Amino acid sequence: MRTYDEYKRIVDDALPSALPDAKGYGAAVIEAARYSLLAGGKRLRAVLVLAGCDFMGGNVDNAVSAALAVECIHAYSLIHDDLPALDNDDLRRGQPSCHKKYGEATAILAGDGLNSHAFLLLSMGLRGDPDHADGHLAAMHTIAVAAGFLGMVIGQAADIALTSKNIDKKGLAFIHTNKTTAMIRASLLAGLYIGGASDRELINNFANYGAQIGLAFQARDDLLDATSTAQQLGKTPGKDKQANKASCVSLLGIEGTKSRVTMLSDAARESLAAYGERAAFFVKLAADLANRRD
Ligand code: GRG
């Protein structure tokens, strides 16, 4: 297995050619999509795709299209999330958010285009690697489920519906499981499938790991939102409190949220205990995500 930075470099090198050229009537929309897609970021979901494939002994080159696809979906979700009708945020990754730079109509279309383009990339991955067609189809299915009405979109809808409501831990868990965790878990499973995974026990263990690091990631996000500056985060802090949104911090407090991050990170490590040293990359990742600062 490679390091996080090595997988990230593969993604960062391939991303600039993931979109069509910005020309003709589509020039502004594609330029806006490119602006958001190439603005940086940790590339966590794409790294999980590549690492999942590598763990299975698959050829990482065959998973690159799927890795770019999950970054396209992630970029679309951030563009739409920043819109005035949703979170109304002017800042993303330390730069003006997409609609601030290109206007709302162009930003909406850029997000729509990125979402569709993700599935074109997934189909290109399948066509380029026909010997593992079943794995690519399973990856495509898993990502479609996690991105749409059974995952991220429904999580975002619940987030809106429950804002300013007196929600409990169960309501918050529903939002976090769908809005954030679904795509993190699905990215890892997609990589495993492309790498040839079919053993149910292995898939379940990694699904548990993906869910646990996803929830830890969101709990850490809530903590950073409550305690960091805009410069540290590259986005506006304090949004949860300002928008009257429930978060781990509002329900558990700062110390309670820290304990939750540690508990979930430990549980993630336990989920992969059966694989010993072979799972070292994922064990380190769970610990690193629990301590992340942006
Ligand atoms: C608009 C359908 C729709 C969904 C939006 C992803 C999302 C759902 C909203 C983003 C808002 C948010 C703060 C979500 C919680 C955690 C999260 C996904 C943070 C951003 O992801 P990172 O930290 O970003 O992986 P980078 O910049 O590293 O890519």
Side-chain angles (χ1 to χ4, degrees), residues 87 156 159 163-164 179 239-241 243-247 250:
D87 254 14
Q156 183 67 17
D159 192 345
T163 293
S164 302
K179 185 175 105 165
K239 292 285 286 187
D240 292 337
K241 201 168 176 190
N244 215 358
K245 277 190 182 184
S247 71
S250 71

Side-chain angles (χ1 to χ4, degrees), residues 41-42 45 74 76-77 81 93 156 179 217-218 221:
K42 296 177 285 297
R45 295 145 193 86
H74 179 55
Y76 125 69
S77 76
D81 190 62
R93 294 169 171 164
Q156 183 67 17
K179 185 175 105 165
F217 184 89
Q218 181 61 63
D221 213 68

Side-chain angles (χ1 to χ4, degrees), residues 87 159 167 172-173 175-177 179-180 214-228 233 235-241 245-254 256-258 260-261 264 289 292 294:
D87 254 14
D159 192 345
I167 72 169
L172 191 67
I175 296 172
H176 289 183
T177 298
K179 185 175 105 165
T180 317
L215 289 171
F217 184 89
Q218 181 61 63
R220 183 76 187 166
D221 213 68
D222 289 357
L223 197 61
L224 293 172
D225 179 74
T227 58
S228 303
L233 286 185
K235 60 183 179 183
T236 316
K239 292 285 286 187
D240 292 337
K241 201 168 176 190
K245 277 190 182 184
S247 71
C248 286
V249 173
S250 71
L251 289 190
L252 307 173
I254 298 279
T257 304
K258 283 184 186 166
R260 179 168 165 77
V261 172
L264 286 162
L289 290 178
R292 74 188 175 92
D294 68 352

